[in-house]
Amino acid sequence: MNNQINSEEVIYQVYPKSFLDTNQDGIGDLKGVIQKLDYIQELGVTTIWLNPIFSSPHVDNGYDVSDYYTIDPQYGNMELVEILIEEAHKRGLKILFDLVLNHTSSKHKWFQEALKGPDNPYRNYYIWKEEEEKGKLPNNWKSFFGGSVWEKESETGDYYFHLFDKEMPDLNWQNESVRKEMIKIAKFWLGKGIDGYRLDAFIHMEKEPGYPDARYADPDQLISAEDFFANLPQVDDYLREFSASIREVYPDAYLLGEAASADPERAVKYTFPKGEACDSIVSFKYFPMDTTKKDDRFPLENQEGKLNVIAFKQVMDEWQRKVGEVSEMTLYLNNHDMQRVVSRLGDPAEFREESAKTLATTMYLQRGVPVLLNGEEIGMKNLELKRWENTRIERIHEVYATLLDRGVTKEEAQTYLGSISINASRGAMQWSDQNYAGFSTIEPWSGVNQEAAYNVAAQETDTASILTFYKQLIQLKKTALFTHGSYEMLISKSPIMAYRRQFEKEQAIVVSNLSGEPQESLLDLTNFKDQDSTLSVGNYTYNNGKIVLSPYASLVIKSDYKGS
Ligand code: GLC
Ligand code: CA
């Protein structure tokens, strides 16, 4: 397909609950985001994606919305949102809100009405099933948050469906009224001036008719039956209807879809042709892990292992060819549902600076739209888990005690628990080396890491810091070569990854060592040897035209392009 893809956006994810607390209740707020707009602008990003800020009981940090038209008082109010939008726009920043389409909070008035019984007009906003046999669940599907997807409602004895927490009932998208309500909500905030949405978990809007049991499960076992509730064909219809309806009025609305289990073919479906569905989607399939590399002092089943660089290169190459050529693919390293990038894919102990910078270089200079998570730009690592509430770790006390019995130190145990907790990447933003990292004057809701070198104040004035590097990298990313250029993965010996970008008369090679040992690549860079690197991390030398990179080193070499 000869489609020129211009990806000029650089998106910065702000997790508002953990960004900056201005009224000292331990919870980040909208005033905090407003106060830091200059900081965000200076990073060079173009767009902010704000995690949910609508009214919510916070069973799932705002992904359980009880009123889509009001702002949660813990974050602020309508006036502050208006200021935020205006102040962001003054600085040339766009704003995306997070819209939860698949479910509401059980406290939402639609669900409260639905609970009144089968005759209530809102009953059909949700998904219900009568109990067929006493005590028997309607099927064997497992919820993402554990337990069955079915919850028995006490009045009628019917079951309602929830893919996530039982306080987050799924909406029935087959019901036209639901679809219209969601379009109305989307238009309301676009009318307030926001620039688009991140569409939460939209791939689950349709479930397999009849809710059949997953047959590949053992009897009596619950199973995560993705095939029956993710990426069904109707999802695409709902998405296109939603997109068309809002773009009729707001043609430039940007839609960033969360499509966790989408493969490249699905990703194309969800993003092509431009303007008819999402602009871009985030799939969680970018990072194949080498599961043989685990630390056997800790429970193995929860560990992901290390990045499998050979497979990662294949995945990136495939996405670049299949998706990058037809629509804007996203480039990301972490988000609020994952571990922090340095902890998961880099080496926070020995090569924190190098691995943070090189992973960013490798990922973001590819073709596509970078999506950064706040704190990544200062090399924040996973939260050291000191608070045990709301971590979704089963029997956490027992796990901790067992680890200490095995001779693991307290610090190591906290690091491990942090890595498997849902809050791994949701620790408070580290602004300074003051108390609570300058996030608040009281203990943050999530806990916080306090590290002398890893905070904004320390890095802002340091020309060698991760923060300074990110700013340079983002500027480079925004040049035509990296926003418009073609992409070609080069053959190199893993754990080296190398690719070439080219646009008009310019080209660049990006080459990285994604390991903690020095590596010689197979690449013959004789022709580039005399060029200076535009941006580099660590050290490199040439050995007969072949480049040798120090641990987690990377470089970007630009040169003229003389080909046709
Ligand atoms: C998405 C969000 C996640 C949330 C879930 C339910 O996956 O990113 O944080 O728990 O949807 O809304
Ligand atoms: Ca606050």
Side-chain angles (χ1 to χ4, degrees):
M1 225 160 291
N2 206 2
N3 204 9
Q4 185 162 347
I5 302 305
N6 302 339
S7 327
E8 287 171 359
E9 306 299 337
V10 179
I11 301 175
Y12 184 70
Q13 175 184 1
V14 172
Y15 197 73
K17 201 165 180 177
S18 304
F19 199 56
L20 180 68
D21 173 23
T22 59
N23 64 345
Q24 317 310 338
D25 60 358
I27 299 170
D29 43 54
L30 286 178
K31 271 195 188 151
V33 183
I34 296 168
Q35 262 184 41
K36 293 296 179 186
L37 284 173
D38 286 338
Y39 169 78
I40 297 173
Q41 183 192 25
E42 278 162 28
L43 291 173
V45 302
T46 62
T47 303
I48 296 171
W49 147 31
L50 207 57
N51 288 87
I53 52 168
F54 303 139
S55 294
S56 163
H58 279 257
V59 168
D60 188 24
N61 292 328
Y63 282 98
D64 48 324
V65 179
S66 54
D67 182 358
Y68 288 85
Y69 292 100
T70 58
I71 301 302
D72 196 296
Q74 81 177 17
Y75 291 135
N77 53 36
M78 192 61 90
E79 199 191 332
L80 284 168
V81 169
E82 286 164 358
I83 296 173
L84 172 67
I85 297 169
E86 194 186 326
E87 289 297 319
H89 286 170
K90 268 193 210 158
R91 290 166 178 79
L93 293 167
K94 297 183 192 129
I95 293 233
L96 310 181
F97 275 6
D98 209 319
L99 188 59
V100 186
L101 298 171
N102 179 67
H103 44 266
T104 67
S105 158
S106 58
K107 298 288 174 317
H108 194 287
K109 66 170 190 264
W110 301 336
F111 193 71
Q112 289 300 312
E113 284 296 311
L115 284 178
K116 291 182 181 162
D119 297 333
N120 190 282
Y122 287 95
R123 186 78 168 183
N124 196 30
Y125 270 44
Y126 297 89
I127 300 170
W128 299 88
K129 198 125 174 34
E130 282 176 19
E131 183 168 53
E132 282 170 12
E133 206 180 298
K134 198 151 173 43
K136 191 168 184 294
L137 293 165
N139 69 17
N140 63 357
W141 301 355
K142 184 173 165 187
S143 144
F144 286 127
F145 289 5
S148 167
V149 295
W150 299 101
E151 181 70 16
K152 196 166 175 172
E153 178 265 311
S154 50
E155 284 294 305
T156 57
D158 290 353
Y159 287 92
Y160 68 85
F161 186 98
H162 63 91
L163 263 187
F164 297 89
D165 194 271
K166 67 177 183 344
E167 304 300 333
M168 298 156 77
D170 282 42
L171 286 162
N172 172 16
W173 273 75
Q174 290 179 353
N175 181 347
E176 197 188 348
S177 308
V178 167
R179 304 202 298 272
K180 286 199 168 140
E181 295 273 14
M182 280 300 165
I183 291 164
K184 197 171 132 204
I185 291 163
K187 285 183 181 164
F188 175 80
W189 292 103
L190 288 164
K192 288 266 172 204
I194 66 163
D195 303 277
Y197 289 101
R198 180 253 190 192
L199 300 179
D200 181 68
F202 78 88
I203 61 172
H204 303 299
M205 294 188 291
E206 181 74 9
K207 283 85 185 167
E208 185 69 27
Y211 314 106
D213 270 335
R215 301 219 178 275
Y216 40 90
D218 293 338
D220 301 327
Q221 189 196 11
L222 292 173
I223 184 146
S224 183
E226 283 259 332
D227 299 353
F228 295 119
F229 50 69
N231 303 305
L232 298 189
Q234 290 77 3
V235 169
D236 210 40
D237 301 339
Y238 299 149
L239 176 65
R240 278 165 204 272
E241 180 191 53
F242 176 84
S243 156
S245 312
I246 64 172
R247 283 178 166 139
E248 223 169 65
V249 192
Y250 302 99
D252 298 328
Y254 192 89
L255 298 181
L256 170 67
E258 185 207 23
S261 56
D263 57 16
E265 287 71 24
R266 278 285 160 203
V268 169
K269 256 193 166 229
Y270 292 145
T271 55
F272 186 80
K274 189 166 176 62
E276 290 189 14
C278 293
D279 289 274
S280 198
I281 61 118
V282 173
S283 153
F284 282 32
K285 296 205 158 184
Y286 282 5
F287 306 106
M289 304 304 275
D290 181 348
T291 49
T292 60
K293 297 207 173 117
K294 293 184 177 181
D295 184 340
D296 55 19
R297 294 173 309 151
F298 300 94
L300 297 179
E301 64 278 12
N302 292 327
Q303 291 180 55
E304 289 189 305
K306 296 257 180 278
L307 182 67
N308 177 341
V309 179
I310 298 181
F312 174 63
K313 284 160 59 170
Q314 283 166 355
V315 170
M316 282 295 114
D317 182 47
E318 189 188 359
W319 277 78
Q320 286 288 340
R321 282 184 290 104
K322 294 187 178 164
V323 187
E325 304 240 325
V326 292
S327 62
E328 298 176 19
M329 63 177 270
T330 53
L331 304 170
Y332 77 98
L333 293 163
N334 44 201
N335 61 44
H336 66 290
D337 291 324
M338 284 180 187
Q339 294 188 51
R340 290 249 169 216
V341 56
V342 270
S343 301
R344 182 181 185 212
L345 309 176
D347 183 343
E350 258 188 272
F351 300 108
R352 182 140 166 203
E353 314 281 323
E354 294 87 343
S355 61
K357 293 174 186 174
T358 280
L359 283 159
T361 304
T362 313
M363 179 56 78
Y364 298 137
L365 291 181
Q366 299 185 96
R367 179 174 50 199
V369 182
V371 186
L372 281 52
L373 170 63
N374 72 251
E376 171 192 329
E377 73 277 19
I378 50 169
M380 274 173 64
K381 61 177 184 180
N382 286 344
L383 191 65
E384 301 282 326
L385 207 65
K386 292 177 190 143
R387 297 183 145 226
W388 289 358
E389 308 93 60
N390 303 323
T391 49
R392 289 202 208 124
I393 303 174
E394 282 174 37
R395 296 195 296 273
I396 187 164
H397 291 85
E398 267 173 55
V399 177
Y400 184 71
T402 313
L403 290 176
L404 297 192
D405 282 351
R406 286 195 196 168
V408 167
T409 67
K410 280 187 183 163
E411 288 71 32
E412 286 173 326
Q414 278 166 356
T415 303
Y416 166 74
L417 291 173
S419 76
I420 63 168
S421 117
I422 186 71
N423 291 335
S425 60
R426 302 176 184 175
M429 178 76 180
Q430 293 164 228
W431 293 106
S432 72
D433 63 359
Q434 305 289 300
N435 260 349
Y436 308 116
F439 166 81
S440 177
T441 53
I442 70 161
E443 171 88 33
W445 71 277
S446 58
V448 59
N449 291 346
Q450 234 166 296
E451 301 175 282
Y454 298 96
N455 60 68
V456 172
Q459 294 192 19
E460 240 165 6
T461 50
D462 174 359
T463 53
S465 69
I466 301 174
L467 179 57
T468 305
F469 185 86
Y470 259 76
K471 290 180 186 169
Q472 293 162 345
L473 179 64
I474 292 168
Q475 286 316 317
L476 184 61
K477 171 68 189 181
K478 292 201 293 187
T479 58
L481 175 59
F482 292 102
T483 53
H484 295 32
S486 62
Y487 176 98
E488 181 195 359
M489 178 72 82
L490 300 175
I491 295 177
S492 61
K493 193 171 138 204
S494 299
I496 301 259
M497 172 161 159
Y499 56 85
R500 184 172 153 272
R501 305 291 314 267
Q502 182 257 319
F503 181 68
E504 295 179 345
K505 292 195 163 52
E506 255 192 319
Q507 62 175 341
I509 301 273
V510 178
V511 50
S512 326
N513 174 4
L514 298 177
S515 82
E517 288 90 42
Q519 301 287 343
E520 182 183 271
S521 83
L522 290 175
L523 289 170
D524 188 349
L525 293 176
T526 313
N527 294 337
F528 287 89
K529 201 167 168 286
D530 301 327
Q531 309 284 337
D532 286 334
S533 169
T534 307
L535 194 68
S536 69
V537 180
N539 303 308
Y540 58 97
T541 51
Y542 286 95
N543 182 11
N544 291 326
K546 306 235 186 326
I547 196 158
V548 184
L549 296 170
S550 65
Y552 287 105
S554 58
L555 67 152
V556 183
I557 322 169
K558 276 208 239 175
S559 73
D560 296 340
Y561 178 67
K562 300 195 186 70
S564 53

